[in-house]
Amino acid sequence: MASKRIEKTLMTALLIAGGLLMMIPFIWMITSSFKPENEFTAIPPTLLPKDFTFQNYVDLFVKMDFLVYLRNTLIIVFFGFIGLMLNAIAGYAFAKFEFPGNKKLFYLVLATMMIPGQVTMIPVYLIINAMGLTNTMAGIVLPGLVGAFGIFLFRQFMTTIPMDLIEAARLDGAGELRIFFRLIVPITKPVFAVQGILTFIGAWNSFLWPLIMANDQSLYTLSVGLQLLKGQHGSDFGLQMAGAAFMVVPIIIIFSFFQKHIIEGYTISGMK
């Protein structure tokens, strides 16, 4: 018993030490975002700011138009959640409706998961360009509304819902939309939770497609704006740290609070 206790204590200490070492760059980024510019050249470097200032964040939103980038990113997040509902509807159709080519179409959807996004980027761009939607928010949002992974996740969970519940609702006179929103959606809350988190993270970090699709700086997202900041203000380390902290902190907070839902969602959906 004593040896096991010592082993457990050593493992815990090693894990804590490793975690702290991994957190040092992140902590330094957060604290450095509140430093004035002259402290970045101090030797030896300081972890905590001597003269605490919010000026880096003020400059971030005044000089760099990060409010515009934030608005565009939130628009993408909003439409991402609309796409989340479309994924759920498609998953429900594949799981509970019998129609010609059901399985073949679902396998075709699954097959698209094996195709790298870089391969389909040029055809998608040509389609969006033919529709006249380049350099528009619609062109940025539309290709990401529906995804094979989301459809697969919802379908896997919804196949476990007994058909007796749906048939009973139909006998009571409920329409298909009412059955979906009043019966299926509450049951599938765990999958909505995990997909909602992943949708937010993906939309918040959207970089490559908005960079390709948008020629106007007013359509840039936070990730594109951060890259622009790095190019235009490469020597302004405080401004860069403020931009990086503003990008990373919301993701860290959301993942910290909802990581349990991510694990539960994968487990319930049968993913290993």
Side-chain angles (χ1 to χ4, degrees):
M1 293 294 293
S3 60
K4 288 185 178 180
R5 192 179 298 113
I6 293 172
E7 183 181 351
K8 184 177 180 180
T9 303
L10 287 174
M11 288 296 297
T12 303
L14 285 174
L15 289 173
I16 292 173
L20 290 174
L21 286 173
M22 293 291 292
M23 289 175 62
I24 287 175
F26 175 73
I27 295 172
W28 187 81
M29 177 189 70
I30 299 296
T31 57
S32 296
S33 66
F34 298 103
K35 291 180 181 178
E37 192 61 32
N38 61 334
E39 288 192 31
F40 286 94
T41 56
I43 299 175
T46 57
L47 181 63
L48 299 176
K50 294 180 180 178
D51 298 319
F52 194 89
T53 178
F54 283 100
Q55 189 60 43
N56 293 323
Y57 288 94
V58 174
D59 293 342
L60 189 69
F61 288 99
V62 174
K63 293 182 180 179
M64 292 298 299
D65 294 328
F66 256 62
L67 279 176
V68 176
Y69 306 150
L70 176 62
R71 180 201 64 191
N72 296 334
T73 303
L74 292 177
I75 290 174
I76 296 175
V77 170
F78 173 75
F79 282 100
F81 285 118
I82 293 178
L84 176 65
M85 187 60 66
L86 296 177
N87 288 334
I89 293 173
Y92 175 60
F94 280 121
K96 295 301 179 183
F97 286 88
E98 293 293 336
F99 55 89
N102 182 326
K103 291 185 178 180
K104 292 181 180 179
L105 184 58
F106 180 66
Y107 293 149
L108 184 62
V109 171
L110 288 183
T112 62
M113 294 175 62
M114 296 182 285
I115 304 174
Q118 293 83 352
V119 174
T120 59
M121 197 166 288
I122 294 176
V124 171
Y125 178 84
L126 293 176
I127 293 171
I128 296 296
N129 187 49
M131 296 171 65
L133 296 178
T134 52
N135 201 36
T136 64
M137 187 56 67
I140 296 173
V141 167
L142 280 177
L145 277 181
V146 180
F149 177 73
I151 294 174
F152 168 73
L153 207 62
F154 279 108
R155 190 258 186 188
Q156 289 298 100
F157 183 88
M158 290 177 181
T159 52
T160 64
I161 300 175
M163 278 299 298
D164 292 343
L165 290 175
I166 299 173
E167 293 295 338
R170 288 171 180 165
L171 289 174
D172 288 338
E176 295 300 331
L177 285 177
R178 186 175 181 183
I179 291 173
F180 178 77
F181 286 105
R182 298 295 296 273
L183 179 64
I184 303 300
V185 171
I187 295 175
T188 54
K189 279 183 180 179
V191 184
F192 271 101
V194 62
Q195 277 296 97
I197 296 164
L198 295 177
T199 297
F200 175 83
I201 293 174
W204 184 265
N205 292 329
S206 55
F207 170 74
L208 186 57
W209 184 249
L211 181 63
I212 294 172
M213 188 56 56
N215 299 321
D216 190 349
Q217 191 170 328
S218 63
L219 294 173
Y220 285 173
T221 60
L222 284 173
S223 296
V224 180
L226 187 61
Q227 186 66 26
L228 191 67
L229 173 66
K230 181 181 176 182
Q232 294 182 352
H233 299 270
S235 60
D236 195 340
F237 299 110
L239 201 61
Q240 291 187 57
M241 292 299 166
F246 185 76
M247 275 292 302
V248 172
V249 169
I251 300 296
I252 297 294
I253 293 173
I254 288 177
F255 186 80
S256 298
F257 278 100
F258 297 103
Q259 59 178 325
K260 182 179 71 174
H261 294 286
I262 295 178
I263 297 171
E264 287 181 354
Y266 285 153
T267 303
I268 292 172
S269 301
M271 297 191 65
K272 303 298 182 183

